[in-house]
Amino acid sequence: MTEQRIADFWFDPSCPYTWLTSRWMTEVARVRPVEVRWHVMSLAVLNENAEVDPEGDTEGYLWMPVRLFAAVGQRYGQQALAELYTAFGTRVHQNGQWGFEGVLADAGLPEELAEAAESTEYDQVVRASHEEAIAKVGNHVGTPVISSAGVSVFGPVISRVPRGEEAGRLWDGTLLVAAVPGFHELKGRRYEEPKF
């Protein structure tokens, strides 16, 4: 029997491509002996010193979801964080329903947790988790960051979710390529709009 492998997955919940990659990772966990551990990272933190914010987030909206996710992770743990991400991604990315209304209930969490989105109480938690991801790959990347078996990568960035053995092969190949000494970048075709 193959030994269970941990895959640490850092994500900003606002990113639609990261959402697709996260759904791929849940598929990987079905077809490979992989346990996913979820961690927040933040496009707001990543871009806060940029001359021009590539996300165009002049109002600071991107802080709100990541604060909420950090609060849930701290208070309720991994399972709750995973369930919140599924609820949020389904409503926001798949169904186009931006906001937190109903998301917490969908995840079985108390609605008053929404207050964390507008509080700075968890900002240091967000920053510490974000820095942990960036320390693995460098600050020239975005979200997601995946780390497993001593190998860390940004991405893969995908526009559709591979299923079944296709998901497993992408996982195997990602680890294989990323483990090569000196490897630092691989790109495919030009990006496509996300296909949920």
Side-chain angles (χ1 to χ4, degrees), residues 115-193:
E115 296 168 7
E118 298 195 39
S119 166
T120 59
E121 181 181 353
Y122 291 94
D123 286 10
Q124 283 311 112
V125 173
V126 171
R127 288 181 185 280
S129 185
H130 178 87
E131 290 306 319
E132 187 179 358
I134 293 301
K136 293 187 177 299
V137 291
N139 63 2
H140 62 291
V141 302
T143 175
V145 170
I146 301 173
S147 188
S148 184
V151 173
S152 300
V153 296
F154 158 62
V157 178
I158 54 178
S159 58
R160 67 171 187 80
V161 180
R163 300 290 180 192
E165 187 55 24
E166 184 185 27
R169 285 193 311 271
L170 179 56
W171 172 252
D172 299 340
T174 299
L175 291 183
L176 181 68
V177 170
V180 173
F183 170 78
H184 69 94
E185 186 171 7
L186 176 70
K187 288 190 175 184
R189 293 178 287 282
R190 292 179 62 80
Y191 83 95
E192 299 176 348
E193 290 298 315

Side-chain angles (χ1 to χ4, degrees), residues 59-77:
E59 302 298 317
Y61 171 81
L62 291 178
W63 271 105
M64 296 173 71
V66 80
R67 284 171 172 156
L68 173 61
F69 277 73
V72 168
Q74 287 287 295
R75 292 186 197 178
Y76 295 93

